Amino acid sequence: FGLWASTHQTVHAGNAEDYFDADLFLGQPKNIGLTIDWFKEEMQKQKRLSGQIDRLVFVEKDEGPVGALTLKDLLSWESKIPSAVVRPRRKGPAMKIKLIHPDAKSSAGDGYESIKQRFRSNGDPERIVLVSDVATTGTTILHAVELISSAGGRVEAAFVLYDREERIPHADTTISAAEKLQKHSVRLAAMLKAKQMKVAIER
């Protein structure tokens, strides 16, 4: 399944006992089919919850274009929903948002302008489903949500292939990625969850 039992250093939660490699998982054609079927079911559920979805946005992490980003064009084609890529931690002149939209102004002659990437449709916020490979603490996903919000969009849900179900300290208790995102009105949907996988392995 692309799941490794190892001591893995995560970005925001220290060491983890499991490592989900979405690239290995998606190297099996049957897993791509399973992912597409799950994605379609979750999209139908999301549309019942929040109405129309205007755009799919995929998260590019520091490691580069890995994981769910390899599904970007296929999921966009299957759903007929346009897509974009966000790179929350990009520094320098590289674009943090890679997006084609009808309001982008072109340049003529010497009159060059900086293009503002905006998640707006007819003046209204685009309703967005965010797609990533793994949820650990939810911090990276939340950074992407904030970037999209600052560009005028509204993230309705985040879909991930694997939820580690890590809990991190929060106030006087602990909090999961799903709970953290829920505080920002974002529903987290995961195709695979750590507890489910561990139960399956033990059986």
Side-chain angles (χ1 to χ4, degrees):
F1 293 102
L3 185 69
W4 298 73
S6 65
T7 301
H8 171 64
Q9 179 68 37
T10 66
V11 176
H12 297 290
N15 288 336
E17 295 179 352
D18 57 342
Y19 173 61
F20 178 75
D21 191 321
D23 293 324
L24 289 180
F25 177 77
L26 296 170
Q28 295 292 330
K30 64 178 181 180
N31 289 344
I32 297 173
L34 289 170
T35 302
I36 291 171
D37 290 344
W38 168 79
F39 180 81
K40 287 179 176 178
E41 289 176 10
E42 284 298 330
M43 285 296 288
Q44 289 302 318
K45 185 186 297 184
Q46 191 58 44
K47 287 177 181 178
R48 289 194 295 271
L49 290 170
S50 60
Q52 176 182 334
I53 300 300
D54 299 307
R55 194 175 298 273
L56 306 177
V57 175
F58 296 78
V59 181
E60 182 178 315
K61 299 181 178 178
D62 288 354
E63 309 92 286
V66 296
L69 197 57
T70 63
L71 286 172
K72 180 180 83 69
D73 300 330
L74 185 57
L75 294 181
S76 182
W77 172 259
E78 287 284 339
S79 63
K80 308 305 179 194
I81 298 173
S83 67
V85 175
V86 296
R87 307 186 286 184
R89 296 171 65 118
R90 274 296 172 115
K91 295 179 175 62
M95 290 187 295
K96 288 190 173 184
I97 299 172
K98 301 184 78 173
L99 168 69
I100 293 293
H101 57 96
D103 297 327
K105 295 178 180 178
S106 61
S107 299
D110 296 328
Y112 295 104
E113 297 180 24
S114 296
I115 295 174
K116 276 193 173 182
Q117 264 51 17
R118 299 290 292 169
F119 292 104
R120 308 287 290 186
S121 178
N122 298 320
D124 297 321
E126 288 186 347
R127 295 180 177 182
I128 289 167
V129 166
L130 196 65
V131 185
S132 189
D133 55 350
V134 175
T136 302
T137 66
T139 301
T140 299
I141 294 174
L142 194 55
H143 286 168
V145 170
E146 291 167 350
L147 180 59
I148 291 167
S149 297
S150 69
R154 185 171 72 222
V155 179
E156 303 283 357
F159 291 1
V160 297
L161 299 183
Y162 184 66
D163 181 1
R164 279 204 182 92
E165 298 183 297
E166 295 278 345
R167 300 192 69 85
I168 59 171
H170 178 77
D172 296 328
T173 182
T174 60
I175 191 170
S176 67
E179 292 164 344
K180 180 188 287 188
L181 292 170
Q182 186 59 49
K183 290 179 177 292
H184 295 266
S185 302
V186 177
R187 180 176 77 93
L188 179 65
M191 182 178 173
L192 303 169
K193 296 184 178 181
K195 289 177 184 174
Q196 294 172 331
M197 292 297 289
K198 288 171 184 175
V199 167
I201 290 167
E202 287 168 2
R203 286 178 177 171

